[in-house]
Each structure stands twice: as structure tokens, then as C-alpha cells.
Amino acid sequence: MTYTTQMDAARKGIVTPQMKIVARKENVRIEDLMERMAKGTVIIPANKNHKNLDPEAVGEGMSTKINVNLGISKDCSEIEPEMDKVRMALEMKAEAIMDLSCYGKTREFRQRLLEISPAMIGTVPIYDAVGFYDKNLQDITVDEFFDVVQKHVEDGVDFLTIHCGLNRHTADKVKQGGRLTNIVSRGGSLLFTWMEINQAENPFYEHFDRLLDICEEYDVTLSLGDGCRPGCLHDATDACQVEELITLGELTKRAWERNVQVMIEGPGHMAMNEIAGNMMMEKRLCHGAPFYVLGPLVTDVAPGYDHITAAIGGAIAAMNGADFLCYVTPAEHLRLPTLDDMKEGIIATRIAAHAADVAKGHPGARDWDDKMSKARAALDWNGMFELAMDPVRPKEFRESSKPEHEDSCTMCGKMCAVRNMNRVLAGKDIQLDD
């Protein structure tokens, strides 16, 4: 029996090689995995042309995944520095990389990325269209937009962010005002501009079936972009955001009719007390499709530290149903991130994802923490370093400030609670005064 996509295979009862790998990684029964994939609540982004992919699942009952953004731009068009970032993202166990390249040798970079990356790869084709055709945005034709999509999927991209839900009706809501930051989505703003200048409908909304044809052929997952995501706390959960979300839910059902896998992209900036409600709303309006969030950033006043504002929001979001977190670096809103920025962003996002998995009771998540606790109780420093999410930094801290006694640290010395409890429970003298 043949199948077109991972969703099609699940609905036909066919166990794919990707499903076997995912079931083992996630410690779930293959039957449960396939049932969720058939419903659309779990996806395995896996382009047929991405030959070295190590597949991951995103969605209901799966561990929370993280994504790293990178790519070349007009101001930073050198490929090699971005390839260094790719290698770091892979070393730090990011499950996905989004290539947001928008200028220069974008296809060369994308192809090199796919050659070395076992992580799933996503792109935003409209970014590439402007640089690829080297023409004004308003002059790009519908066929040219779709030709760029075709090139991306032929190269092996596993998921595409396309802002299909920002149609003329929702664009009118934006023009009515009330927002402090209008549209902050780069892809959303480009499509809004194209629609306004040409007085035409969003081509990806109007010709959605054409997009589904491409995705079905290559088994590419549609990441339905949130062009109206809030760019500040003030704009969260407004009519523009919610109306687009309703449209994305309608498009999700159309994609599922074609066995095309879908995830939904979400906010953005949002106060902490709104996050849980937004997660529930997305799952309801989009029929349980996996939810991919940027943050959410829980305050607007911490530039330079937005990896922290996003990690706080990401942990709350994932605990309440978000399935996939896009990392945010300290350089967010300020500049293209450096390697150091990337590391900070990846670690912050991995902390958020793991904390949420512990809260959700994902199989095996708590075991990692318990192993660390046992190593701490035993004052097993090397064991702690090996178990650490980032083994490098804690070891550097330890070596930079050596204690007098190996079974303590320079914070407490011989007054270390763990050291003294171990000694007293073993019947030994504590001896604090020598």
C-alpha cells in the first residue's frame, strides 16, 4: 500500500520509518502516535527530499520542541558565519532550524543547511522571493511567489511558514486602527503591502489549493503563519489576531482533507495572565492542531534580555498546550544574533521547554531532574556537569572559584548544607571551626 504524506500513512494504518523512530524517542505506543497523526494533533515534518533527517514529532503528548532562527540578510550576507550558527544549533540539540534568509545566495545557503542538518528545516518563502527576483515587492506575480515555494520544497524543506490567513477582510481590521504596533510579522507585513498596492487578495489564501498540491507531493508541513500576531502587550488577543486564527482553523480543515500536515503559529507579545486562554483558544479554533509560538514575550520593557521574557512566556504556554517554542535571543529587536546570543537563547528556550514537560508529566522528563538531584546530594560534581543542560558553563564556574574543601563550594564552604547533612547522617563530626 502506498501513501502520500505521513498523515495519509497514519490514516491508512501504515507504519513509516519516521513513525518508528519518533515512537522510540517519545516513549509512546506506535498505535497512539498514529491515532494522533491521523487526527492532525501530531505531525512529523519530513520532506521526502530531506535525506538525512532525524525525524521529530510535534503535538499532543509529545515533548516540547524548540526551533532556532538564522539565515543571511543584506546587512549580514556572508554564508560561513551562519553555517557556524547552524553547527552550534545542532550541537545544542535544537530539533528544528528555520532559515529566514532574505538576500544574497539564499539557495546556496539553504542547500548547504539541508546537506548537514538532521534537524527539521523550515523556511518562509516570501522572504526569499523579494531577494530572489531582485524586483519591487508589488511587481512579484502570483506565479513567481509559487515558483519560490516550489524551489524550497524541492530542496528538501520540511515545513513552510506561509501567512495564508491574512486575507483582505482581516487586513481591513488592521487598517481600522487601535493597535500600537500594527503588523510586526515580517511575512505578514510583506503580504499586507503586496495586497494594498495591488488591491488584490493574499495569493496564498486565494490559491490555497495550489499550495496544498505542492505540500502533498513532497510531504511538506504547512506552518500557518500568524501575520497579525501581537507585537506588544497592548495588541494581544485583539480582533485582528483572533479573526486570523479563525481563518487558520478553516484552512487547517482544508489541508487535512488533502492529508497535508499542519501546525499553527502564535503570539508574540502577551501578558502572562492571557497566555493560558490563548492556548486553549488556538486548540479549540484550530481543532487541536499543534501550536508553534514565538515566546510569548511577557513584557515589552526588557530589550537585551528578551530571551528571559520569552522563556517565561514559553514555559507558561507549553505547560498550557503549546507544542513548539521558537527561541528568542538577547538580541531580539536589536540586531542579528551572534553565536553567544544564540547560545543564551537556545538554553533559555530549552529550559522553558523542559520545565513545561515536567509540569505536563511527559514520560522521562522528571527522571532527568531526579538524576541531577541525586548527583547534588552526593556532591558528585562531574556527575552534575554531565547531566547539566549546558555542561560547559557550570564547569567553568566551578573551576573559576576553587573551594578549600572539594566537598563544598565557595558560597558556603564548610557550612554547606549538603556536605554537613551527609556527614552528620553518616555519624561523622561536622567540624565547622577549623
Side-chain angles (χ1 to χ4, degrees), residues 366-412:
R366 187 64 171 266
D367 295 344
W368 186 7
D369 294 77
D370 290 344
K371 289 176 184 176
M372 177 64 83
S373 298
K374 291 175 183 176
R376 281 187 173 143
L379 294 170
D380 177 5
W381 303 104
N382 288 329
M384 287 185 253
F385 300 150
E386 291 173 3
L387 286 164
M389 192 172 288
D390 171 19
V392 176
R393 179 172 287 185
K395 190 172 184 179
E396 289 176 347
F397 284 176
R398 174 77 179 169
E399 292 177 349
S400 71
S401 184
K402 288 288 190 179
E404 180 183 358
H405 300 280
E406 183 61 24
D407 61 349
S408 65
C409 76
T410 54
M411 170 67 80
C412 299

Side-chain angles (χ1 to χ4, degrees), residues 3 25 27 31 59-60 79 81 83 90 141 185 189 244 255 276 281 308 319 326 338 357 386 402-403 415:
Y3 61 92
K25 285 183 178 181
N27 193 26
E31 294 83 3
E60 179 188 0
I79 288 178
M83 290 304 299
L90 296 174
T141 67
S185 160
S189 67
E244 183 182 30
M281 180 171 62
I308 297 174
M319 182 178 70
C326 185
T338 64
D357 286 346
E386 291 173 3
K402 288 288 190 179
M415 294 181 69

Side-chain angles (χ1 to χ4, degrees), residues 142-290:
V142 171
D143 285 341
E144 286 173 333
F145 279 131
F146 277 94
D147 285 345
V148 170
V149 171
Q150 184 74 33
K151 287 181 173 62
H152 282 228
V153 300
E154 287 174 356
D155 287 342
V157 169
D158 301 296
F159 63 96
L160 299 171
T161 291
I162 300 185
H163 302 81
C164 306
L166 181 56
N167 55 25
R168 293 291 300 278
H169 184 68
T170 303
D172 286 340
K173 281 280 196 300
V174 176
K175 289 188 290 184
Q176 290 170 12
R179 283 193 154 199
L180 293 183
T181 54
N182 296 312
I183 291 179
V184 300
S185 160
R186 194 190 332 177
S189 67
L190 291 171
L191 278 169
F192 181 92
T193 301
W194 188 92
M195 288 190 288
E196 282 295 294
I197 293 174
N198 290 293
Q199 287 297 293
E201 183 56 274
N202 178 345
F204 297 110
Y205 176 77
E206 185 175 8
H207 305 285
F208 189 64
D209 286 328
R210 183 174 176 181
L211 184 59
L212 295 179
D213 289 340
I214 297 172
C215 292
E216 183 181 22
E217 180 180 357
Y218 292 86
D219 194 4
V220 172
T221 297
L222 262 182
S223 187
L224 292 174
D226 52 336
C228 291
R229 71 170 181 264
C232 64
L233 301 190
H234 175 274
D235 297 347
T237 326
D238 69 354
C240 303
Q241 178 196 338
V242 175
E243 184 166 300
E244 183 182 30
L245 191 62
I246 292 170
T247 302
L248 296 183
E250 295 167 353
L251 296 176
T252 295
K253 295 181 78 171
R254 287 175 59 185
W256 286 348
E257 290 171 0
R258 297 284 301 276
N259 293 311
V260 172
Q261 301 184 102
V262 173
M263 61 181 164
I264 309 297
E265 297 189 11
H269 294 233
M270 183 168 290
M272 288 192 293
N273 59 305
E274 294 184 55
I275 294 174
N278 268 261
M279 300 306 106
M280 181 177 65
M281 180 171 62
E282 182 277 338
K283 291 292 183 178
R284 184 65 178 266
L285 294 178
C286 297
H287 322 293

Side-chain angles (χ1 to χ4, degrees), residues 48-91:
K48 295 172 182 177
N49 288 349
H50 191 175
K51 302 302 182 184
N52 62 338
L53 176 69
D54 185 7
E56 299 283 356
V58 178
E60 179 188 0
M62 305 296 110
S63 61
T64 307
K65 306 304 186 299
I66 76 163
N67 170 73
V68 169
N69 289 340
L70 43 79
I72 56 176
S73 65
K74 191 164 187 176
D75 290 317
C76 301
S77 60
E78 295 296 321
I79 288 178
E80 290 310 319
E82 291 306 295
M83 290 304 299
D84 289 339
K85 293 178 184 178
V86 170
R87 286 183 276 270
M88 172 178 277
L90 296 174
E91 288 169 6

